[in-house]
Short mmCIF file of all heavy atoms in Angstrom, two decimals:
data_model
loop_
_atom_site.label_atom_id
_atom_site.label_comp_id
_atom_site.label_asym_id
_atom_site.label_seq_id
_atom_site.Cartn_x
_atom_site.Cartn_y
_atom_site.Cartn_z
N LEU L 282 2.67 -9.28 5.40
CA LEU L 282 1.58 -9.27 6.42
C LEU L 282 0.29 -8.81 5.79
O LEU L 282 -0.79 -9.37 6.04
CB LEU L 282 1.97 -8.42 7.57
CG LEU L 282 3.09 -8.96 8.49
CD1 LEU L 282 3.57 -7.90 9.44
CD2 LEU L 282 2.63 -10.20 9.25
N VAL L 283 0.32 -7.77 4.91
CA VAL L 283 -0.83 -7.29 4.26
C VAL L 283 -1.38 -8.34 3.35
O VAL L 283 -2.60 -8.58 3.30
CB VAL L 283 -0.57 -5.94 3.54
CG1 VAL L 283 -1.68 -5.57 2.59
CG2 VAL L 283 -0.22 -4.84 4.55
N ARG L 284 -0.56 -9.00 2.56
CA ARG L 284 -1.01 -10.12 1.69
C ARG L 284 -1.70 -11.21 2.49
O ARG L 284 -2.73 -11.74 2.10
CB ARG L 284 0.12 -10.68 0.90
CG ARG L 284 0.58 -9.80 -0.30
CD ARG L 284 1.50 -10.58 -1.23
NE ARG L 284 2.69 -11.16 -0.58
CZ ARG L 284 3.83 -10.50 -0.31
NH1 ARG L 284 3.93 -9.24 -0.65
NH2 ARG L 284 4.82 -11.14 0.28
N ALA L 285 -1.07 -11.57 3.61
CA ALA L 285 -1.71 -12.59 4.50
C ALA L 285 -3.08 -12.16 4.96
O ALA L 285 -4.07 -12.93 4.92
CB ALA L 285 -0.79 -12.91 5.69
N HIS L 286 -3.16 -10.91 5.40
CA HIS L 286 -4.43 -10.34 5.83
C HIS L 286 -5.49 -10.42 4.74
O HIS L 286 -6.64 -10.82 4.96
CB HIS L 286 -4.24 -8.92 6.35
CG HIS L 286 -5.50 -8.22 6.71
ND1 HIS L 286 -6.27 -8.50 7.82
CD2 HIS L 286 -6.17 -7.20 6.08
CE1 HIS L 286 -7.34 -7.72 7.87
NE2 HIS L 286 -7.28 -6.95 6.80
N ARG L 287 -5.08 -10.02 3.53
CA ARG L 287 -6.02 -10.05 2.39
C ARG L 287 -6.51 -11.41 1.97
O ARG L 287 -7.57 -11.56 1.39
CB ARG L 287 -5.36 -9.31 1.20
CG ARG L 287 -5.29 -7.82 1.42
CD ARG L 287 -4.74 -7.06 0.27
NE ARG L 287 -4.73 -5.64 0.55
CZ ARG L 287 -3.89 -4.76 -0.01
NH1 ARG L 287 -2.96 -5.19 -0.84
NH2 ARG L 287 -3.93 -3.52 0.29
N ARG L 288 -5.73 -12.43 2.31
CA ARG L 288 -6.18 -13.79 1.99
C ARG L 288 -6.97 -14.41 3.11
O ARG L 288 -7.22 -15.62 3.11
CB ARG L 288 -5.01 -14.65 1.48
CG ARG L 288 -3.96 -15.01 2.43
CD ARG L 288 -3.00 -16.06 1.75
NE ARG L 288 -2.19 -16.62 2.79
CZ ARG L 288 -1.09 -16.15 3.23
NH1 ARG L 288 -0.57 -15.07 2.68
NH2 ARG L 288 -0.44 -16.72 4.21
N GLY L 289 -7.27 -13.59 4.10
CA GLY L 289 -8.14 -14.06 5.21
C GLY L 289 -7.45 -14.47 6.49
O GLY L 289 -8.13 -14.95 7.44
N VAL L 290 -6.16 -14.29 6.62
CA VAL L 290 -5.44 -14.61 7.85
C VAL L 290 -5.67 -13.51 8.86
O VAL L 290 -5.67 -12.34 8.53
CB VAL L 290 -3.92 -14.79 7.57
CG1 VAL L 290 -3.14 -15.02 8.86
CG2 VAL L 290 -3.69 -15.93 6.58
N ASP L 291 -6.01 -13.86 10.10
CA ASP L 291 -6.20 -12.91 11.18
C ASP L 291 -4.85 -12.46 11.69
O ASP L 291 -4.11 -13.15 12.40
CB ASP L 291 -6.99 -13.60 12.30
CG ASP L 291 -7.25 -12.68 13.49
OD1 ASP L 291 -7.01 -11.47 13.40
OD2 ASP L 291 -7.63 -13.21 14.58
N VAL L 292 -4.41 -11.26 11.28
CA VAL L 292 -3.12 -10.72 11.59
C VAL L 292 -3.29 -9.62 12.67
O VAL L 292 -4.16 -8.71 12.51
CB VAL L 292 -2.44 -10.10 10.34
CG1 VAL L 292 -1.08 -9.47 10.70
CG2 VAL L 292 -2.29 -11.12 9.25
N ARG L 293 -2.51 -9.69 13.73
CA ARG L 293 -2.50 -8.65 14.77
C ARG L 293 -1.10 -8.41 15.19
O ARG L 293 -0.28 -9.32 15.34
CB ARG L 293 -3.31 -9.08 15.97
CG ARG L 293 -4.77 -9.20 15.64
CD ARG L 293 -5.64 -9.77 16.79
NE ARG L 293 -6.98 -9.96 16.41
CZ ARG L 293 -7.94 -9.15 16.66
NH1 ARG L 293 -7.75 -8.06 17.33
NH2 ARG L 293 -9.17 -9.40 16.25
N ILE L 294 -0.74 -7.12 15.37
CA ILE L 294 0.62 -6.68 15.65
C ILE L 294 0.69 -5.83 16.94
O ILE L 294 -0.15 -4.96 17.05
CB ILE L 294 1.17 -5.89 14.46
CG1 ILE L 294 1.10 -6.74 13.20
CG2 ILE L 294 2.57 -5.42 14.73
CD1 ILE L 294 1.40 -5.88 11.93
N VAL L 295 1.66 -6.09 17.73
CA VAL L 295 1.96 -5.18 18.88
C VAL L 295 3.43 -4.85 18.81
O VAL L 295 4.29 -5.72 18.63
CB VAL L 295 1.53 -5.78 20.25
CG1 VAL L 295 2.26 -7.01 20.60
CG2 VAL L 295 1.72 -4.75 21.37
N LEU L 296 3.75 -3.52 18.91
CA LEU L 296 5.12 -3.01 18.72
C LEU L 296 5.48 -2.12 19.88
O LEU L 296 4.64 -1.55 20.51
CB LEU L 296 5.21 -2.20 17.44
CG LEU L 296 4.81 -2.87 16.13
CD1 LEU L 296 4.78 -1.83 15.03
CD2 LEU L 296 5.87 -3.95 15.81
N ASP L 297 6.79 -2.06 20.12
CA ASP L 297 7.31 -1.12 21.07
C ASP L 297 6.96 0.30 20.62
O ASP L 297 7.12 0.65 19.47
CB ASP L 297 8.85 -1.25 21.14
CG ASP L 297 9.46 -0.28 22.15
OD1 ASP L 297 9.25 -0.49 23.41
OD2 ASP L 297 10.09 0.70 21.75
N ASP L 298 6.51 1.12 21.58
CA ASP L 298 6.13 2.50 21.19
C ASP L 298 7.35 3.35 20.82
O ASP L 298 7.37 3.98 19.79
CB ASP L 298 5.37 3.14 22.38
CG ASP L 298 4.92 4.58 22.04
OD1 ASP L 298 4.03 4.72 21.19
OD2 ASP L 298 5.53 5.51 22.60
N LYS L 299 8.31 3.37 21.69
CA LYS L 299 9.47 4.26 21.48
C LYS L 299 10.32 3.86 20.29
O LYS L 299 10.94 4.71 19.62
CB LYS L 299 10.37 4.26 22.72
CG LYS L 299 9.66 4.91 23.97
CD LYS L 299 10.39 4.76 25.24
CE LYS L 299 10.37 3.41 25.84
NZ LYS L 299 9.09 2.79 26.17
N GLY L 300 10.36 2.58 19.94
CA GLY L 300 11.15 2.07 18.83
C GLY L 300 10.52 2.39 17.46
O GLY L 300 11.07 2.02 16.47
N ASN L 301 9.32 3.01 17.44
CA ASN L 301 8.59 3.20 16.21
C ASN L 301 8.03 4.66 16.01
O ASN L 301 7.03 4.87 15.42
CB ASN L 301 7.45 2.19 16.12
CG ASN L 301 8.00 0.81 15.95
OD1 ASN L 301 8.42 0.46 14.84
ND2 ASN L 301 7.97 0.04 16.99
N ARG L 302 8.82 5.59 16.56
CA ARG L 302 8.37 6.97 16.45
C ARG L 302 8.92 7.69 15.20
O ARG L 302 8.58 8.82 14.94
CB ARG L 302 8.80 7.75 17.71
CG ARG L 302 8.03 7.28 18.91
CD ARG L 302 8.34 8.09 20.15
NE ARG L 302 7.52 7.66 21.24
CZ ARG L 302 7.74 7.97 22.49
NH1 ARG L 302 8.78 8.79 22.79
NH2 ARG L 302 7.01 7.55 23.47
N ASN L 303 9.81 7.05 14.46
CA ASN L 303 10.39 7.70 13.30
C ASN L 303 9.45 7.58 12.06
O ASN L 303 8.51 6.77 12.06
CB ASN L 303 11.77 7.09 12.96
CG ASN L 303 11.65 5.62 12.60
OD1 ASN L 303 11.13 5.27 11.60
ND2 ASN L 303 12.25 4.78 13.50
N LYS L 304 9.71 8.40 11.03
CA LYS L 304 8.83 8.42 9.92
C LYS L 304 8.81 7.12 9.12
O LYS L 304 7.77 6.71 8.55
CB LYS L 304 9.22 9.54 9.00
CG LYS L 304 8.93 10.90 9.56
CD LYS L 304 9.28 12.02 8.61
CE LYS L 304 8.98 13.38 9.26
NZ LYS L 304 9.24 14.49 8.38
N VAL L 305 9.91 6.40 9.04
CA VAL L 305 9.95 5.16 8.29
C VAL L 305 9.08 4.11 9.00
O VAL L 305 8.30 3.40 8.36
CB VAL L 305 11.39 4.65 8.10
CG1 VAL L 305 11.44 3.36 7.32
CG2 VAL L 305 12.23 5.72 7.37
N SER L 306 9.23 4.05 10.28
CA SER L 306 8.33 3.08 11.06
C SER L 306 6.87 3.47 10.94
O SER L 306 6.05 2.55 10.70
CB SER L 306 8.68 3.12 12.56
OG SER L 306 9.93 2.51 12.77
N GLN L 307 6.60 4.72 11.04
CA GLN L 307 5.21 5.17 10.93
C GLN L 307 4.62 4.90 9.58
O GLN L 307 3.43 4.54 9.44
CB GLN L 307 5.09 6.61 11.35
CG GLN L 307 5.32 6.78 12.83
CD GLN L 307 5.14 8.22 13.36
OE1 GLN L 307 4.58 9.09 12.65
NE2 GLN L 307 5.57 8.43 14.57
N ALA L 308 5.45 4.93 8.52
CA ALA L 308 4.94 4.60 7.19
C ALA L 308 4.55 3.13 7.12
O ALA L 308 3.54 2.74 6.57
CB ALA L 308 6.02 4.97 6.13
N ALA L 309 5.44 2.24 7.68
CA ALA L 309 5.13 0.78 7.67
C ALA L 309 3.92 0.49 8.49
O ALA L 309 3.03 -0.24 8.07
CB ALA L 309 6.33 0.02 8.19
N ILE L 310 3.80 1.13 9.67
CA ILE L 310 2.66 0.90 10.55
C ILE L 310 1.35 1.42 9.87
O ILE L 310 0.38 0.70 9.86
CB ILE L 310 2.87 1.63 11.85
CG1 ILE L 310 3.99 0.92 12.64
CG2 ILE L 310 1.60 1.70 12.70
CD1 ILE L 310 4.49 1.69 13.84
#
Side-chain angles (χ1 to χ4, degrees):
L282 291 167
V283 168
R284 283 192 306 275
H286 174 72
R287 287 184 179 152
R288 67 173 196 272
V290 175
D291 179 13
V292 179
R293 294 176 185 258
I294 302 169
V295 62
L296 301 170
D297 180 72
D298 180 71
K299 293 172 286 304
N301 291 285
R302 291 185 179 166
N303 62 68
K304 289 182 182 183
V305 179
S306 290
Q307 291 184 12
I310 291 168

